[in-house]
Amino acid sequence: MSAEMISIGALGVMFIVATVLPINIGILAFIGAFVVGTASLGLSEDEIFEGFPVSLFVTIVGVTYLFSVAQRNGTIDLLVRAGIRLVRGKAALIPWVLFAVAAVLTAFGTFTPAAVALLAPVGMNFAHRFGISQLMVGMMVISGAHAGAFSPIAVSGALVLGMVDQTPLEVAPSALFLASFGFNFLLSLLTFFLLGGFGRKREQLAGAGVTEQLDAARLTWRQALTLVALAGLVVGALVFHLEIGFLALLAATVLTLVDVKNQAKAVEGISWSTILLVAGMVTYVGILEKAGTVDAVSQGAAGMGAPLFVALLLCFVVAVVSAFASSTAILTAIIPIAVPLLLASHLSAAGLVAALAISTTIVDTSPFSTNGALVLSNARGVDRDRFYKQIIGYTAGIVGAGPVLAWCFLVLPSAV
């Protein structure tokens, strides 16, 4: 059996095992990299670790550490409260406030499931209290988290841009971010109208303790310093093009030093599971490239027909698979496959990369994904089976229409 078949077979086994069993696919990827690299390709350990993503490792450690510090000193909670305070007397705006707060959190480096885990309980509680569709609120929280997830200083954005930087392609960070934000905003707008967003537009935010809780939020000097640090991270990364990971580590360390007692365990908030997943998968992708698998798959895809058709097929494939598997893992596997297609065609690199990123992530509304499961678990006063079926139906619609729309808006114009 050829090295290409062995490596792609091992990748398939990884996805199946990680989907069925509670095992981080990053662990399986490291094992696969060692076994396939040594037994099939005869690589040394140094050659195997050449694919380890050092820059991405530092970036994810830095931004998730900074988020952990911000969460522990109350800055994240302050942002949530400040956003919800804006909807007094206008309950119909609650979903949009949650959308905006989720987008801000992920755009500044919060991992998407962490943002959803923070906002889903708040949103579902408000939706239940004021008779707003909990399905609408939950889906808009997820869309908001995805809207900001591909900023240059976000985990997913850094991942995709970091992989693209290793190729001859050029994708402007702003193009990827704006494409994802715009698509998720339109998706939320459609969700809002279809699920009766204006049904309670005259409802007032009243009830036991709500007003008092919102008014209780006060800005402390540590929270003010955290907001300054976040702003400095954006300026340093986007204006002066400094390394995001090091900036985030510096900011988090300074904030820890001024609040050592409360931040002693902030390091526990680093998204180690995400780091393990990304590092393992990117390392294994390096093995796929050494085995010639990426080139073989790309050439096979190109031989299926016109590049436009192949691009649409790729969008569909990642959407279907990602509804059941890790979106981050799918992204690390699909970007290298798309590179030869882009180099051999006139398709827009930014357009196809953005379309693949969007198609991979928008289906995380699935109850089989972390985000969808968080919404389902936080539903209040509903029939669980019925709500589960509603989420399934919503996700099915996304899987069917999302990739086509992403392809139409982002890929097709470059070929016309």
Side-chain angles (χ1 to χ4, degrees):
M1 186 180 294
S2 66
E4 291 89 344
M5 293 300 296
I6 292 174
S7 61
I8 200 168
L11 181 62
V13 171
M14 290 177 207
F15 276 112
I16 293 173
V17 173
T19 301
V20 176
L21 300 176
I23 301 177
N24 190 306
I25 195 173
I27 295 175
L28 301 176
F30 275 125
I31 295 173
F34 173 75
V35 172
V36 175
T38 55
S40 181
L41 301 177
L43 301 176
S44 66
E45 292 181 1
D46 289 340
E47 290 174 321
I48 292 174
F49 281 112
E50 285 177 357
F52 186 87
V54 177
S55 178
L56 281 176
F57 175 86
V58 175
T59 296
I60 298 175
V61 169
V63 296
T64 55
Y65 182 33
L66 180 58
F67 166 72
S68 177
V69 172
Q71 188 173 35
R72 285 176 174 271
N73 67 21
T75 302
I76 302 302
D77 185 58
L78 183 74
L79 290 174
V80 175
R81 290 173 180 270
I84 294 177
R85 188 185 298 116
L86 297 175
V87 305
R88 285 179 175 177
K90 299 177 181 178
L93 294 181
I94 291 175
W96 289 110
V97 171
L98 294 170
F99 174 93
V101 173
V104 170
L105 292 180
T106 53
F108 277 97
T110 307
F111 194 49
T112 303
V116 175
L118 180 69
L119 294 177
V122 176
M124 303 301 272
N125 180 62
F126 269 92
H128 174 64
R129 177 174 298 182
F130 300 110
I132 301 172
S133 168
Q134 293 187 59
L135 179 63
M136 174 189 66
V137 171
M139 298 303 101
M140 288 184 65
V141 167
I142 295 176
S143 292
H146 290 152
F150 289 97
S151 81
I153 60 174
V155 174
S156 297
L159 170 63
V160 173
L161 293 172
M163 296 186 72
V164 172
D165 284 344
Q166 299 175 12
T167 72
L169 301 175
E170 292 185 7
V171 175
S174 59
L176 178 63
F177 172 64
L178 292 176
S180 176
F181 188 93
F183 193 94
N184 280 282
F185 176 80
L186 292 175
L187 176 59
S188 291
L189 193 63
L190 186 62
T191 300
F192 184 77
F193 281 109
L194 290 180
L195 297 181
F198 283 114
R200 293 274 179 164
K201 64 181 179 180
R202 292 185 177 85
E203 188 78 53
Q204 299 294 310
L205 285 177
V210 176
T211 303
E212 290 78 4
Q213 290 174 12
L214 294 176
D215 288 337
R218 293 291 183 271
L219 181 67
T220 67
W221 68 270
R222 288 187 178 89
Q223 292 167 347
L225 184 60
T226 302
L227 294 175
V228 171
L230 291 174
L233 178 65
V234 174
V235 173
L238 301 184
V239 178
F240 297 101
H241 305 290
L242 300 176
E243 175 60 41
I244 297 170
F246 289 128
L247 287 178
L249 285 172
L250 174 61
T253 302
V254 171
L255 294 172
T256 299
L257 290 175
V258 300
D259 190 19
V260 175
K261 181 179 179 180
N262 294 324
Q263 299 294 351
K265 296 184 178 181
V267 70
E268 296 177 1
I270 296 175
S271 186
W272 297 113
S273 62
T274 303
I275 293 169
L276 181 59
L277 185 154
V278 171
M281 282 300 298
V282 173
T283 301
Y284 190 77
V285 167
I287 297 298
L288 292 176
E289 291 175 341
K290 291 180 182 296
T293 307
V294 172
D295 288 338
V297 172
S298 300
Q299 292 172 4
M304 295 177 63
L308 268 177
F309 170 76
V310 177
L312 178 60
L313 181 62
L314 289 177
C315 289
F316 261 119
V317 169
V318 297
V320 172
V321 176
S322 186
F324 300 93
S326 167
S327 297
T328 307
I330 299 299
L331 275 176
T332 58
I334 199 63
I335 297 299
I337 292 175
V339 170
L341 174 66
L342 288 167
L343 293 175
S345 69
H346 297 292
L347 298 179
S348 166
L352 181 55
V353 169
L356 290 172
I358 291 169
S359 298
T360 304
T361 54
I362 57 173
V363 298
D364 283 348
T365 55
S366 164
F368 306 112
S369 71
T370 303
N371 294 335
L374 285 168
V375 170
L376 178 62
S377 63
N378 282 285
R380 300 282 301 277
V382 299
D383 184 323
R384 293 281 174 174
D385 290 337
R386 183 171 181 271
F387 195 65
Y388 170 82
K389 292 177 181 177
Q390 289 177 337
I391 296 178
I392 288 289
Y394 182 91
T395 303
I398 296 297
V399 172
V404 176
L405 293 176
W407 178 80
C408 288
F409 291 149
L410 301 170
V411 180
L412 186 58
S414 65
V416 176

